[in-house]
C-alpha cells in the first residue's frame, strides 16, 4: 500500500510541475485565435469575399464590352494557263503561260465596342440585388462567428470548470493525506486502531482515482478547445476561471432592442429586400432596350499577278456606329409569369419574416427565463458552499478532538466537494445561458468577455 501511495505522490508531483509551466490562455486570446484560425470562420470570410467581388462594378453590366479579332491568310499557287486554238499575230500558236510561286496574303483586324444604354432598369435593380446579397453574406458570416463563439466558450468554460474541479479534488486529496498521517501518528501512540489508517488509505485511493479521471477529462477538453482554435492538439495551457455577469439594467436594454439586432431577423429583412428587387428586375422585361455598337476594321489584301492583271495591294479602313432599339412587345407571357412568381416569393418571405419574428421572441423569452433560473441556482450554490465549508471546518475540529468518527468527517468532506463542484457547474451554465441570450439579442460580438 505504501508503494502505491508513493507512486501516487510521484504522479501528482509530475502533474504539478507540468501545469506550473503552462501558458495562460485568456478569453481575449482565445477569441483572437478563433477569429484567425477557425476553419468555419475562414470559409465564412471567403464567402463574404466572393459576394464582395460579385457586387463590384465589374459584375454590374454597366461597363461596355470590347472585343477584338484578327486573322491572316497566305496562299501560294503554281499554275499553267493554256490558250488552245489561239494564235499570235504571226500565226504561231499562242504559248502557255506558267505562273510559279504566285503568292497572296490577306490580313484582317477589327475592334467591336458594345454598350447597353438602357435595358428596362433590369441592370439597375440587379446591381442593387448584388449589394443586398453582399450585406446578407456579411450577416451569414456574423451568424457563423456567433455560433463559433458559443462553441468556443462552451469548451473554454468546460476547461475552466474542470480546472476548478481539479483544484477542489487536489484539496480533498491533500486533506486525505493529512488525515492519513494523523492516523499513523495516532496509531503509533495508541490513540486509535489500524482501521482508521485503512479508512484513510481507502479515501486517498478514491480521491486519487477521482483526480486521475479529472486530469484525463481536462486533457480531453483542452484537445477539444485546440480543435476549435485550429492549433496543435497537444498544446497545453491554463484558462481564466473568473466569470463576470452583465448588469441586469444593461441586459434589459439589450432585450428592448433585440428585434433590431437579432441576426436571423436582419437576414430576413435582407431576403425581403432582395425579393422586392427581383420583382422590379422581372418587370424590366416590359420595357425596351437601347444599345450602341461601334466597330473599327483594318484589312490588307495582297494578291499575286495573274496572266492578265498585275499584282495588287488593297488596304481598307472602316469605322461603323450603330444604334439599336429592341422592344419585345409580346414574349408569349413569360415575363408576366416571372413577375407573378416573384410577387409570390415576396409574399412567402413576408410570411417567413412573421414566423421568424415569433420564433425569435419565443427563444428570447425562454433564454431569459433559463438565464434567470440558472443565476438563482448559482447564487444558491454559492451559499451552499459557504454552509458546507463552515460545516467541514467544524467537523474537522470535532474530528481532531475525537468527538466524531472518520466516517462522519469524510461525509462532511464529500458534502463540501459536491457543493463546490455543483457551484462550478452552476456558474458556467449561467454564463453560457447569458451568452446564448446575448446572441439572440444581437450583442454577443459587442460584449467584453
Amino acid at each position: 500500500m505504501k508503494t502505491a501511495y508513493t507512486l501516487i505522490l510521484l504522479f501528482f508531483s509530475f502533474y504539478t510541475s507540468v501545469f506550473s509551466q503552462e501558458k495562460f490562455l485568456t478569453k481575449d486570446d482565445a477569441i483572437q485565435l478563433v477569429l484567425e484560425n477557425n476553419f468555419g470562420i475562414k470559409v465564412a470570410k471567403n464567402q463574404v469575399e466572393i459576394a464582395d467581388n460579385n457586387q463590384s462594378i465589374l459584375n454590374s453590366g454597366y461597363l461596355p464590352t470590347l472585343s477584338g479579332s484578327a486573322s491572316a491568310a497566305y496562299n501560294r499557287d503554281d499554275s499553267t494557263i493554256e490558250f488552245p486554238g489561239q494564235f499570235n499575230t504571226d500565226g504561231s500558236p499562242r504559248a502557255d503561260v506558267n505562273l510559279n510561286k504566285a503568292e497572296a496574303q490577306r490580313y484582317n483586324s477589327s475592334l467591336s465596342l458594345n454598350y447597353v444604354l438602357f435595358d428596362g432598369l433590369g441592370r439597375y435593380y440587379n446591381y442593387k440585388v448584388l449589394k443586398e446579397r453582399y450585406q446578407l453574406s456579411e450577416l451569414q458570416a456574423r451568424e457563423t462567428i456567433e455560433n463559433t463563439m458559443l462553441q468556443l466558450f462552451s469548451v473554454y468554460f468546460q476547461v475552466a470548470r474542470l480546472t476548478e474541479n481539479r483544484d477542489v479534488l487536489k484539496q480533498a486529496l491533500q486533506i486525505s493525506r493529512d488525515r492519513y498521517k494523523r492516523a499513523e501518528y495516532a496509531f503509533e501512540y495508541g490513540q486509535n486502531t489500524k482501521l482508521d489508517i485503512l479508512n484513510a488509505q481507502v479515501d486517498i485511493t478514491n480521491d486519487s482515482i477521482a483526480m486521475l479521471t479529472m486530469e484525463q477529462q481536462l486533457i480531453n477538453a483542452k484537445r477539444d478547445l485546440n480543435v476549435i482554435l485550429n492549433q496543435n492538439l497537444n498544446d497545453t495551457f491554463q484558462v481564466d476561471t473568473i466569470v463576470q455577469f452583465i448588469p441586469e439594467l444593461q441586459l434589459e436594454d439589450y432585450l428592448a432592442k433585440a428585434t433590431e439586432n437579432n441576426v436571423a431577423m436582419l437576414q430576413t429583412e435582407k431576403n425581403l429586400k432582395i425579393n422586392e428587387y427581383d420583382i422590379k428586375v422581372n418587370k424590366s422585361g416590359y420595357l425596351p432596350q437601347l444599345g450602341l455598337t461601334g466597330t473599327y476594321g483594318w484589312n490588307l489584301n495582297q494578291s499575286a499577278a495573274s496572266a492578265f492583271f498585275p499584282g495588287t495591294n488593297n488596304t481598307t479602313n472602316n469605322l461603323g456606329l450603330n444604334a439599336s432599339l429592341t422592344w419585345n412587345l409580346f414574349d408569349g407571357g413569360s415575363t408576366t409569369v416571372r413577375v407573378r412568381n416573384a410577387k409570390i416569393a415576396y409574399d412567402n418571405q413576408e410570411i417567413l419574416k412573421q414566423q421568424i419574428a415569433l420564433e425569435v421572441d419565443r427563444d428570447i423569452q425562454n433564454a431569459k427565463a433559463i438565464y434567470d433560473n440558472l443565476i438563482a441556482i448559482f447564487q444558491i450554490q454559492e451559499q451552499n458552499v459557504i454552509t458546507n465549508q463552515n460545516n467541514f471546518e467544524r467537523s474537522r475540529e470535532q474530528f481532531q478532538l475525537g468527538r466524531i468518527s472518520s466516517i462522519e468527517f469524510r461525509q462532511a468532506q464529500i458534502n463540501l466537494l459536491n457543493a463546490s463542484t455543483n457551484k462550478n457547474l452552476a456558474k458556467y451554465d449561467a454564463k453560457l445561458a447569458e451568452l446564448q441570450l446575448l446572441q439572440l439579442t444581437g450583442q454577443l460580438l459587442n460584449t467584453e468577455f
Side-chain angles (χ1 to χ4, degrees):
M1 185 70 183
K2 287 186 177 181
T3 302
Y5 180 68
T6 302
L7 290 174
I8 291 171
L9 286 176
L10 291 174
F11 176 81
F12 287 113
S13 297
F14 169 75
Y15 261 103
T16 301
S17 64
V18 169
F19 283 110
S20 64
Q21 300 172 3
E22 290 180 335
K23 65 180 180 181
F24 188 72
L25 181 68
T26 66
K27 298 183 184 74
D28 289 338
D29 291 338
I31 292 172
Q32 186 66 28
L33 286 171
V34 81
L35 290 176
E36 293 176 356
N37 301 329
N38 182 264
F39 294 113
I41 292 178
K42 284 183 177 181
V43 171
K45 288 180 178 179
N46 286 337
Q47 294 296 331
V48 173
E49 188 173 353
I50 291 173
D52 190 22
N53 292 333
N54 288 337
Q55 68 148 358
S56 70
I57 191 68
L58 298 176
N59 192 45
S60 65
Y62 276 108
L63 298 180
T65 61
L66 179 64
S67 60
S69 63
S71 64
Y74 172 79
N75 292 311
R76 196 188 80 171
D77 298 322
D78 294 326
S79 61
T80 301
I81 303 173
E82 297 178 352
F83 303 94
Q86 296 184 30
F87 300 91
N88 295 321
T89 55
D90 60 359
S92 62
R94 185 172 180 178
D96 297 340
V97 177
N98 294 315
L99 297 176
N100 296 322
K101 298 181 179 179
E103 296 180 343
Q105 295 91 23
R106 179 177 298 141
Y107 303 96
N108 299 295
S109 64
S110 65
L111 289 174
S112 178
L113 180 68
N114 294 281
Y115 186 65
V116 177
L117 292 176
F118 180 75
D119 68 341
L121 297 177
R123 174 177 56 185
Y124 173 76
Y125 290 114
N126 265 323
Y127 190 51
K128 286 187 171 292
V129 167
L130 294 175
K131 292 289 186 183
E132 295 295 332
R133 289 195 184 280
Y134 168 70
Q135 295 175 16
L136 178 62
S137 71
E138 288 186 315
L139 291 173
Q140 291 168 341
R142 171 186 153 186
E143 184 178 27
T144 299
I145 293 173
E146 287 180 352
N147 291 334
T148 305
M149 285 296 181
L150 284 180
Q151 184 184 15
L152 166 67
F153 280 106
S154 176
V155 181
Y156 187 94
F157 289 149
Q158 174 77 349
V159 174
R161 182 178 68 83
L162 293 174
T163 299
E164 291 197 276
N165 288 351
R166 181 196 65 189
D167 294 339
V168 171
L169 287 172
K170 189 184 295 184
Q171 293 176 0
L173 180 59
Q174 186 59 47
I175 291 170
S176 297
R177 289 174 184 166
D178 294 341
R179 196 176 115 219
Y180 174 78
K181 291 179 181 178
R182 290 180 61 86
E184 278 192 324
Y185 292 147
F187 179 75
E188 291 177 0
Y189 289 101
Q191 295 179 357
N192 61 13
T193 64
K194 188 69 173 179
L195 181 61
D196 290 328
I197 297 178
L198 293 175
N199 284 336
Q201 288 177 334
V202 169
D203 292 338
I204 288 177
T205 300
N206 291 333
D207 291 343
S208 300
I209 292 172
M211 186 72 174
L212 288 171
T213 303
M214 186 62 62
E215 293 286 5
Q216 187 58 56
Q217 291 176 355
L218 182 57
I219 290 171
N220 292 345
K222 288 183 178 181
R223 287 199 185 101
D224 292 338
L225 187 55
N226 282 330
V227 169
I228 297 174
L229 300 177
N230 187 19
Q231 59 184 9
N232 191 298
L233 293 179
N234 295 318
D235 280 357
T236 185
F237 45 80
Q238 297 183 41
V239 298
D240 187 2
T241 58
I242 298 175
V243 169
Q244 295 179 342
F245 294 96
I246 294 177
E248 185 66 25
L249 287 177
Q250 186 177 353
L251 199 57
E252 290 295 335
D253 183 56
Y254 289 161
L255 289 170
K257 301 177 181 178
T259 304
E260 304 172 13
N261 299 316
N262 179 271
V263 69
M265 289 298 299
L266 292 175
Q267 288 185 64
T268 304
E269 291 287 349
K270 288 299 173 187
N271 283 320
L272 196 61
K273 197 68 177 178
I274 289 171
N275 286 124
E276 181 182 346
Y277 286 139
D278 281 340
I279 295 174
K280 296 178 180 179
V281 168
N282 287 300
K283 282 184 175 180
S284 67
Y286 291 128
L287 299 176
Q289 294 187 0
L290 178 61
L292 287 178
T293 302
T295 60
Y296 172 76
W298 175 82
N299 302 282
L300 172 60
N301 292 326
Q302 294 178 335
S303 60
S306 67
F308 303 101
F309 299 100
T312 60
N313 292 335
N314 184 14
T315 302
T316 304
N317 293 284
N318 59 72
L319 180 66
L321 183 63
N322 179 57
S324 64
L325 176 67
T326 304
W327 197 340
N328 196 349
L329 298 176
F330 182 69
D331 61 357
S334 59
T335 299
T336 301
V337 171
R338 288 196 300 270
V339 171
R340 288 175 180 173
N341 289 341
K343 289 181 178 179
I344 294 173
Y346 181 85
D347 292 339
N348 285 341
Q349 192 62 42
E350 280 277 14
I351 295 171
L352 184 61
K353 177 184 175 181
Q354 296 173 13
Q355 177 186 353
I356 291 178
L358 185 63
E359 291 175 351
V360 167
D361 187 42
R362 175 205 62 192
D363 292 342
I364 289 175
Q365 292 190 37
N366 288 346
K368 183 62 167 63
I370 292 171
Y371 170 72
D372 291 339
N373 185 57
L374 289 175
I375 284 290
I377 291 174
F378 172 56
Q379 293 171 347
I380 292 171
Q381 292 292 0
E382 279 188 313
Q383 186 59 46
N384 190 38
V385 169
I386 295 173
T387 302
N388 278 277
Q389 183 68 44
N390 293 333
N391 177 64
F392 174 74
E393 295 297 338
R394 291 180 62 85
S395 297
R396 179 155 57 182
E397 293 174 2
Q398 296 295 314
F399 175 70
Q400 292 174 351
L401 295 174
R403 294 178 181 174
I404 63 173
S405 66
S406 61
I407 295 176
E408 292 173 308
F409 174 74
R410 177 64 175 177
Q411 186 59 51
Q413 182 185 9
I414 291 175
N415 290 340
L416 177 59
L417 176 65
N418 291 337
S420 298
T421 55
N422 288 337
K423 184 205 75 171
N424 293 337
L425 178 62
K427 177 173 71 172
Y428 293 112
D429 281 350
K431 187 59 181 179
L432 280 175
E434 181 189 81
L435 295 183
Q436 290 169 348
L437 184 58
L438 288 174
Q439 182 193 25
L440 289 169
T441 60
Q443 300 296 334
L444 181 61
L445 303 182
N446 303 324
T447 305
E448 293 290 336
F449 296 98

